[in-house]
Amino acid sequence: MTTEQRTTEGFSYTLERTLEAPVAAVWSAWTTAEPYAQWSHAVPGSVEMDVRPGGAWKATMVTPDGGQFPLTGSYSEVDENRRLVVGMDVPGKNEPAVMTVELAEQSAHQTRIVVAQTCGTAGERDLAEQGTTMLLGGLTAFLKTAN
């Protein structure tokens, strides 16, 4: 399910999925470097994560056409197995792009994930939503093979 809305601060999107995995497995996949690299289309060995408020992360992502681009950022909120607020550094901007990931147990083997982000323009929102859709697809496939 995807919802879109225009806020007074920018353009936002929210993506929601039900994943066939326990909350702890989803959290671990999103916050541990090696599994994250496997499902997020990152260059192997490029992911570093210090998952705590104020902790930094970095990864080099691979685009569908084979290009590579480095990403960096930090964590502003970490509530294990429930909520992760991630900032991503954006060249030329003073403030990071902020993505919120929320997890909720649906059953012992199902997790509801909600990912939301607000962007400055409709174009930025569309690109961010496309990237997040790819991330959720990769996470879904990874969790199917990991369980």
Side-chain angles (χ1 to χ4, degrees), residues 15-37:
L15 299 175
E16 188 175 319
R17 303 278 190 282
T18 298
L19 304 171
E20 299 296 325
V23 168
V26 176
W27 180 265
S28 178
W30 201 286
T31 60
T32 307
E34 187 177 318
Y36 183 88

Side-chain angles (χ1 to χ4, degrees), residues 70-93:
L71 294 174
T72 59
S74 61
Y75 300 97
S76 57
E77 285 183 50
V78 178
D79 185 358
E80 188 172 351
N81 295 332
R82 297 186 59 209
R83 181 176 166 91
L84 191 64
V85 180
V86 182
M88 183 172 53
D89 299 326
V90 180
K93 296 203 175 188

Side-chain angles (χ1 to χ4, degrees), residues 29 32-45 47 138-139 141-142 145-146:
T32 307
E34 187 177 318
Y36 183 88
Q38 290 177 34
W39 64 263
S40 68
H41 310 288
V43 173
V47 179
L139 178 60
F142 173 80
T145 61

Side-chain angles (χ1 to χ4, degrees), residues 5-12 118-120:
Q5 60 186 19
R6 171 78 164 95
T7 67
T8 56
E9 296 139 11
F11 295 83
S12 65
T118 299
C119 303

